[in-house]
């Protein structure tokens, strides 16, 4: 199986955290915590090994590291007295495998993806989640694996600048392909991830049949053909900040972007110039994995995962950085003004699908080649 973890997306959340820290909207402590939540803390490399009664959580750096530290880790320390630190160096599957194989494991908990979690389990590099401690009912359906469990969610969503469209806002991916009624430039990711789903839905395919249709060559080719139709109206984005800047500079009127960037844009753009729809969104969950022989021991890290399932803490995470709660109980606690921007509110959940790592493991490489060719040739 190919590792389909979207490392760019995780680094983008970290980058958002850096921006918020620079703006003074996150404390230094909070910034470090956020990086920890994503599994990034390069300075910890010199620590060599974690202390026996210390939990080291690894994420992808940026603001998310500080937020993770403040929201999840410091609160656990306050309750238990056990220090929890965040390493933002990026827990790639390769790094985890190298640690386990060398017998020098320094990480206790890693922010991974479903693809990596499945691969690492097959290779014997991670531990089973102890569901007698971690509550499987506190994650979205489809995000509880034998050796991994969901920790947060971001989505690929339909973003629009209504002012540039005279107030006429697209409501579906079919509208996005309608350049007559919705003229202007669109932005899509330069990678195929999260993009072919929108082109498939634009053909009228129901949510629950998207990956079934994309499971055939005809389905993939039809989605690629939709991008050929639209390519004169497309500006691609490479990083999350690229997509954000395209809207801020009013270079595009419509886009398929990450919900975490939409969370920032709602505060940065003038009233009436930015909105988002989760209709046809694709939800991508982060997945906790525990390396084999982690220094803090299995039970302690399972207790930390259970602590991080607290709905109030997950809502705080959404408020600070835009990563959505994976615990369904959290939706009721989300402030009313944030609910429309929350990928996992009941209303938004009903109109989205879950990112399919198995499909990407099988098809991503070949589909990516076709997608890029459609955009440039």
């Amino acid at each position: 199986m190919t590792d389909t973890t979207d490392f760019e997306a995780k680094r983008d959340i970290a980058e958002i955290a850096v921006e918020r820290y620079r703006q003074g909207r996150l404390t230094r402590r909070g910034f470090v915590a956020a990086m920890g939540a994503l599994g990034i803390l390069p300075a910890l490399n010199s620590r060599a090994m974690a202390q026996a009664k210390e939990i080291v959580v690894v994420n992808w750096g940026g603001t998310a590291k500080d937020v993770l530290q403040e929201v999840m880790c410091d609160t656990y320390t306050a309750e238990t007295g056990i220090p929890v630190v965040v390493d933002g160096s990026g827990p790639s599957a390769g790094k985890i495998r190298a640690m386990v194989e060398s017998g020098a494991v320094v990480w206790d908990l890693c922010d991974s993806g479903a693809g990596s979690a499945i691969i690492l389990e097959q290779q014997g590099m991670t531990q089973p989640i102890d569901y007698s401690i971690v509550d499987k009912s506190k994650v979205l359906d489809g995000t509880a694996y034998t050796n991994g469990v969901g920790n947060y969610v971001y989505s690929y969503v339909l973003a629009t600048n209504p002012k540039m469209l005279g107030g006429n806002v697209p409501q579906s991916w079919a509208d996005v392909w309608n350049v007559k009624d919705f003229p202007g430039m669109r932005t899509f990711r330069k990678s195929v991830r999260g993009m072919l789903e929108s082109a498939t839905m634009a053909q009228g395919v129901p949510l629950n049949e998207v990956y079934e249709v994309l499971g055939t060559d005809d389905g993939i080719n039809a989605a690629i053909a939709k991008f050929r139709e639209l390519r004169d109206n497309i500006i691609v984005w490479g990083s999350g900040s690229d997509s954000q800047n395209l809207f801020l500079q009013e270079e595009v009127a419509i886009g398929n972007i990450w919900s975490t960037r939409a969370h920032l844009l709602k505060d940065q753009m003038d009233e009436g110039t930015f909105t988002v729809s989760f209709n046809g969104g694709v939800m991508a969950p982060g997945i906790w994995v525990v390396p084999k022989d982690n220094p803090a021991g299995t039970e302690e890290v399972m207790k930390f995962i259970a602590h991080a399932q607290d709905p109030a803490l997950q809502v705080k995470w959404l408020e600070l950085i835009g990563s959505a709660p994976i615990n369904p109980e959290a939706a009721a606690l989300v402030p009313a003004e944030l609910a429309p921007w929350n990928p996992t509110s009941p209303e938004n959940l009903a109109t989205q699908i879950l990112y399919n790592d198995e499909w990407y493991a099988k098809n991503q490489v070949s589909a990516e080649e076709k997608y890029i060719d459609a955009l440039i040739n």
Side-chain angles (χ1 to χ4, degrees), residues 20 261-269 274 338 341:
R20 296 220 150 183
R261 287 291 166 178
H263 184 85
L264 297 179
L265 284 164
K266 68 177 172 49
D267 297 326
Q268 295 174 324
M269 297 189 70
F274 187 75
L338 276 183
W341 305 89

Side-chain angles (χ1 to χ4, degrees), residues 13 26 34 37 41 70 78 99 124 132 155 157 176 179 185 216 223 240 259 266 269 293-294 308 310 330 351 360-361:
I13 294 174
L26 276 180
L41 191 54
E70 178 179 335
M99 279 189 183
S132 71
S155 293
V157 294
V176 173
V179 295
M185 298 302 291
T216 65
S259 59
K266 68 177 172 49
M269 297 189 70
D293 300 323
N294 70 297
D310 182 283
T351 63
Y360 277 95

Side-chain angles (χ1 to χ4, degrees), residues 43-314:
L44 289 178
N45 291 341
S46 62
R47 297 170 68 92
M49 297 290 287
Q51 300 299 312
K53 275 300 181 182
E54 175 185 73
I55 297 174
V56 177
V57 183
V58 189
N59 76 353
W60 299 88
T63 304
K65 178 176 174 291
D66 275 355
V67 172
L68 178 60
Q69 183 72 54
E70 178 179 335
V71 176
M72 305 297 185
C73 301
D74 290 350
T75 52
Y76 188 75
T77 300
E79 287 185 6
T80 65
I82 296 173
V84 184
V85 293
V86 178
D87 177 340
S89 59
S92 69
K95 289 181 181 178
I96 295 171
R97 183 165 50 248
M99 279 189 183
V100 174
E101 290 179 340
S102 66
V105 178
V106 299
W107 295 338
D108 294 294
L109 183 62
C110 303
D111 176 23
S112 188
S116 292
I118 294 170
I119 291 171
L120 289 168
E121 176 187 346
Q122 292 171 343
Q123 296 173 340
M125 299 295 140
T126 54
Q127 303 181 43
I129 300 299
D130 185 345
Y131 287 110
S132 71
I133 299 174
V134 177
D135 191 340
K136 192 179 289 189
S137 73
K138 292 184 177 179
V139 297
L140 292 178
D141 288 344
T143 64
Y145 297 84
T146 302
N147 284 32
V149 64
N151 52 7
Y152 60 86
V153 174
Y154 62 93
S155 293
Y156 293 86
V157 294
L158 198 177
T160 306
N161 181 337
K163 188 188 77 172
M164 295 178 68
L165 297 170
N168 192 21
V169 178
Q171 302 297 318
S172 68
W173 293 115
D175 289 344
V176 173
W177 261 262
N178 180 354
V179 295
K180 178 181 178 183
D181 296 327
F182 304 95
M185 298 302 291
R186 286 90 162 117
T187 187
F188 292 90
R189 192 180 182 183
K190 70 178 179 182
S191 165
V192 74
R193 296 171 186 264
M195 301 296 111
L196 292 193
E197 294 90 336
S198 58
T200 302
M201 288 182 236
Q203 301 169 65
V205 175
L207 277 174
N208 61 357
E209 296 178 13
V210 168
Y211 285 112
E212 179 182 341
V213 170
L214 287 174
T216 65
D217 287 342
D218 286 346
I220 293 174
N221 292 335
I224 296 296
K226 293 294 287 181
F227 284 100
R228 289 190 186 280
E229 291 177 15
L230 206 58
R231 63 183 173 187
D232 289 341
N233 295 83
I234 294 176
I235 301 175
V236 297
W237 57 270
S239 66
S241 60
D242 287 346
S243 66
Q244 188 177 348
N245 288 331
L246 287 169
F247 275 97
L248 287 172
Q249 296 165 12
E250 296 191 342
E251 292 188 44
V252 299
I254 305 169
N256 183 339
I257 66 174
W258 288 322
S259 59
T260 43
R261 287 291 166 178
H263 184 85
L264 297 179
L265 284 164
K266 68 177 172 49
D267 297 326
Q268 295 174 324
M269 297 189 70
D270 294 335
E271 186 174 352
T273 64
F274 187 75
T275 187
V276 67
S277 170
F278 288 87
N279 184 23
V282 179
M283 297 182 293
I287 302 290
W288 289 129
V289 299
V290 182
K292 186 178 179 182
D293 300 323
N294 70 297
T298 303
E299 183 175 355
E300 197 60 56
V301 77
M302 294 299 162
K303 290 179 179 177
F304 174 79
I305 294 174
H307 168 79
Q309 292 184 305
D310 182 283
L313 296 180
Q314 295 198 355

